């Protein structure tokens, strides 16, 4: 037998969602008439925009004719897409990103998880706590940590607690770190970071030769033009930041799959002898070796979100979710709960009342009002005492859930 990668044995089982499913199943068996509403999902529910569907249909037809058939595409994505991204997502906000600096993929989860491969295994990684699990597991698999402790934290990571006390904005690390994962607007807390705060991180990275891995999957949910949508809105970020963006939450591509990663040509790492190496060339090499690209049809669909009709249609879906977010936020506040997020993000982060733990509050919501959410402790120890609700449900279900919480939850 071949010996396996022992680091995989350190991975914690994905206990969170299986435990939620188990508790809901048990409750349903005992209360078969209860109409359960799920506001725990982190997946979109609105269908693809008509402009996207139309573009995909047209691309399928092109594939059917010898004159317009396409085989393997360009490794970093078609220029019809990268040029639109550069123009609409960056130039329109005063940020220069060259289309060549954009590498199209089939998801930010994979890009966030895989990017660590281009860095040394001894790199010290800093993570927000609570955190999106893909950043964690990719680095555990690569052997950058020891075992997980009883509190769920892996030895070797530098955790950056994000709680109401620091406005869900972490403090700069007090020790040297090489890689810093930041996610804004944040999943699960729904928090955003101001330009002033983000600049502190860019300055830290420049002073300490660190690289920021910036997950902007929810940038389309930002309502305030003063809140940065891209880390490249901060001066100096081109040299120290890689940015991840996805069509998943922006345009409902969670099932269709399309995303991109920006690696500016100015971003450098250090070779063993101290020579400067372009991070862009390494990521390009990694992707062209291990990833076959996003299909032509899907890239045409993604391109269509930048048409006038496409833009109007996707913002309609985002408005729909953000109205749900408002209903949840205001309804829960009326019910006497303390709520965070939900203003520039589809996540509402609720402080559990009366000193309840995240799981105790989960059980109370399930039993008292038949509403399912996600215990904050499942995202990391600093999520204990919080609870995540999402705005991705239908309007009807969202309103019904909030009404039940307002009238039926005994605090
Ligand atoms: C949903 C999500 C993504 C996007 O993942 P895809 O693989 O592109 O669907 C990235 N980061 C966070 C934090 C997310 O919640």
């Amino acid at each position: 037998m071949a010996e396996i990668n022992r680091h995989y044995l350190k991975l914690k089982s994905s206990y969170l969602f299986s435990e939620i499913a188990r508790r809901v199943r048990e409750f349903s068996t005992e209360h078969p008439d209860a109409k359960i509403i799920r506001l725990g999902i982190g997946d979109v529910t609105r269908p693809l925009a008509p402009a996207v569907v139309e573009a995909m249909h047209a691309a399928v037809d092109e594939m059917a004719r010898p004159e317009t058939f396409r085989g393997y595409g360009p490794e970093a994505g078609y220029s019809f897409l990268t040029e639109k991204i550069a123009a609409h997502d960056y130039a329109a906000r005063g940020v220069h990103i060259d289309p060549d600096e954009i590498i199209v993929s089939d998801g930010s989860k994979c890009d966030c998880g895989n990017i660590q491969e281009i860095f040394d295994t001894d790199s010290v990684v800093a993570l927000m706590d609570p955190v999106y699990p893909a950043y964690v597991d990719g680095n555990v698999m690569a052997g950058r940590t020891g075992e997980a402790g009883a509190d769920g934290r892996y030895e070797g990571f530098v955790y950056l607690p994000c709680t109401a006390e620091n406005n869900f904005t972490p403090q700069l690390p007090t020790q040297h770190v090489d890689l810093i994962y930041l996610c804004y607007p944040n999943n699960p807390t729904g928090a955003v970071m101001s330009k002033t705060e983000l600049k502190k991180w860019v300055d830290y990275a420049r002073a300490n030769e660190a690289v920021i891995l910036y997950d902007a999957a929810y940038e389309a949910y930002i309502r305030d033009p003063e809140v940065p949508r891209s880390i490249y809105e901060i001066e100096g970020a081109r040299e120290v930041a890689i940015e991840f963006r996805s069509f998943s939450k922006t345009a409902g591509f969670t099932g269709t799959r399309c995303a991109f990663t920006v690696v500016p040509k100015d971003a450098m790492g250090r070779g063993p002898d101290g020579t400067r190496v372009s991070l862009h060339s390494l990521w390009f090499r990694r992707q062209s070796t291990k990833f076959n690209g996003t299909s032509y049809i899907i890239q045409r669909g993604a391109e269509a979100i930048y048409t006038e009709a496409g833009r109007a249609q996707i913002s309609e879906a985002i408005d729909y979710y953000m109205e749900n977010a408002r209903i949840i936020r205001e309804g829960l506040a009326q019910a006497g709960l303390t709520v965070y997020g939900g203003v520039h993000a589809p996540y509402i982060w609720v402080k559990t009342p009366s000193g309840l733990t995240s799981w105790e509050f989960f059980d109370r919501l399930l039993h008292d009002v038949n509403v399912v959410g996600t215990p904050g402790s499942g995202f990391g120890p600093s999520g204990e005492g919080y609870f995540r609700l999402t705005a991705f449900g239908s309007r009807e279900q969202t309103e019904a859930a909030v009404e039940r919480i307002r009238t039926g939850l005994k605090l």
Side-chain angles (χ1 to χ4, degrees):
M1 279 186 288
E3 190 168 336
I4 53 106
N5 176 346
R6 67 203 146 89
H7 305 302
Y8 276 61
L9 302 177
K10 298 173 191 163
L11 293 166
K12 287 173 289 168
S13 61
S14 49
Y15 158 86
L16 178 62
F17 290 100
S18 54
E19 179 61 15
I20 292 173
R22 193 190 66 76
R23 292 191 191 203
V24 173
R25 217 167 34 239
E26 198 177 287
F27 179 79
S28 301
T29 313
E30 288 162 17
H31 306 87
D33 296 331
K35 293 210 165 34
I36 293 172
I37 301 179
R38 291 165 200 272
L39 292 185
I41 44 162
D43 193 1
V44 294
T45 52
R46 306 296 298 160
L48 290 173
V52 169
V53 174
E54 209 176 292
M56 287 184 188
H57 280 162
V60 170
D61 288 339
E62 283 182 66
M63 288 298 211
R65 292 190 299 270
E67 319 76 90
T68 47
F69 170 78
R70 314 252 183 160
Y72 289 123
E75 286 145 319
Y78 285 96
S79 58
F80 62 73
L81 179 57
T82 54
E83 280 165 13
K84 304 257 180 357
I85 293 169
H88 292 274
D89 287 332
Y90 294 102
R93 288 189 58 87
V95 174
H96 177 74
I97 293 292
D98 197 272
D100 279 355
E101 295 175 317
I102 296 164
I103 300 180
V104 177
S105 75
D106 64 354
S108 284
K109 182 176 85 178
C110 359
D111 289 0
C112 290
N114 291 329
I115 194 75
Q116 46 77 27
E117 279 187 28
I118 68 170
F119 297 98
D120 190 71
T121 29
D122 289 337
S123 306
V124 177
V125 176
L127 299 158
M128 300 167 81
D129 168 24
V131 69
Y132 180 60
Y135 319 145
V136 177
D137 290 359
N139 282 288
V140 172
M141 289 169 175
R144 285 197 186 84
T145 69
E147 301 291 335
D151 64 355
R153 288 179 167 179
Y154 289 94
E155 185 198 331
F157 281 145
V158 173
Y159 287 92
L160 309 167
C162 298
T163 58
E165 287 68 41
N166 60 17
N167 207 14
F168 307 101
T169 308
Q171 306 231 295
L172 294 170
T174 49
Q175 66 183 98
H176 176 79
V177 301
D178 298 294
L179 303 174
I180 304 159
Y181 285 87
L182 293 179
C183 173
Y184 285 103
N186 190 260
N187 176 10
T189 69
V192 289
M193 205 185 245
S194 69
K195 276 192 181 147
T196 317
E197 280 298 322
L198 191 51
K199 180 160 191 311
K200 288 185 194 163
W201 287 88
V202 170
D203 292 346
Y204 172 92
R206 289 165 65 88
N208 293 275
E209 301 196 322
V211 174
I212 298 173
L213 305 167
Y214 195 72
D215 183 349
Y218 295 95
E219 59 79 27
Y221 291 80
I222 295 173
R223 300 280 140 142
D224 178 350
E226 288 304 307
V227 173
R229 288 183 166 221
S230 163
I231 194 167
Y232 304 118
E233 292 177 35
I234 310 300
E235 201 191 320
R238 281 183 57 86
E239 290 158 39
V240 291
I242 291 175
E243 179 163 289
F244 305 95
R245 293 250 190 136
S246 174
F247 293 88
S248 284
K249 315 303 174 6
T250 304
F253 274 58
T254 53
T256 313
R257 314 300 318 146
C258 194
F260 59 92
T261 291
V262 179
V263 191
K265 301 256 169 87
D266 312 354
M268 295 287 161
R270 181 169 30 82
D273 58 356
T275 49
R276 286 156 59 82
V277 181
S278 150
L279 297 180
H280 181 275
S281 67
L282 297 185
W283 182 241
F284 179 81
R285 184 61 191 260
R286 192 272 171 208
Q287 288 298 78
S288 47
T289 302
K290 295 194 181 182
F291 174 64
N292 255 328
T294 307
S295 87
Y296 174 71
I297 297 162
I298 301 302
Q299 291 192 56
R300 280 293 187 199
E303 180 196 19
I305 77 158
Y306 298 105
T307 59
E308 208 177 307
R311 280 157 54 158
Q313 291 159 2
I314 64 163
S315 68
E316 205 177 288
I318 291 171
D319 289 349
Y320 180 93
Y321 297 133
M322 291 311 285
E323 175 63 9
N324 286 349
R326 186 193 63 77
I327 291 167
I328 298 172
R329 204 162 31 83
E330 293 180 1
L332 267 56
Q334 278 169 21
L337 292 159
T338 305
V339 289
Y340 303 96
V343 179
H344 303 295
Y347 296 110
I348 294 88
W349 192 238
V350 185
K351 181 90 197 89
T352 59
S354 327
L356 296 177
T357 67
S358 298
W359 277 109
E360 284 166 353
F361 188 62
F362 174 92
D363 288 332
R364 286 283 295 278
L365 271 191
L366 178 60
H367 287 259
D368 291 0
V369 295
N370 311 150
V371 172
V372 178
T374 312
S377 55
F379 299 98
S382 297
E384 181 57 89
Y386 294 93
F387 196 78
R388 191 189 76 172
L389 292 174
T390 83
F392 289 131
S394 70
R395 178 64 42 78
E396 191 190 359
Q397 295 226 304
T398 301
E399 282 172 343
V402 169
E403 187 53 25
R404 287 189 198 171
I405 292 171
R406 277 201 317 115
T407 54
L409 187 69
K410 293 171 259 340
L411 298 183

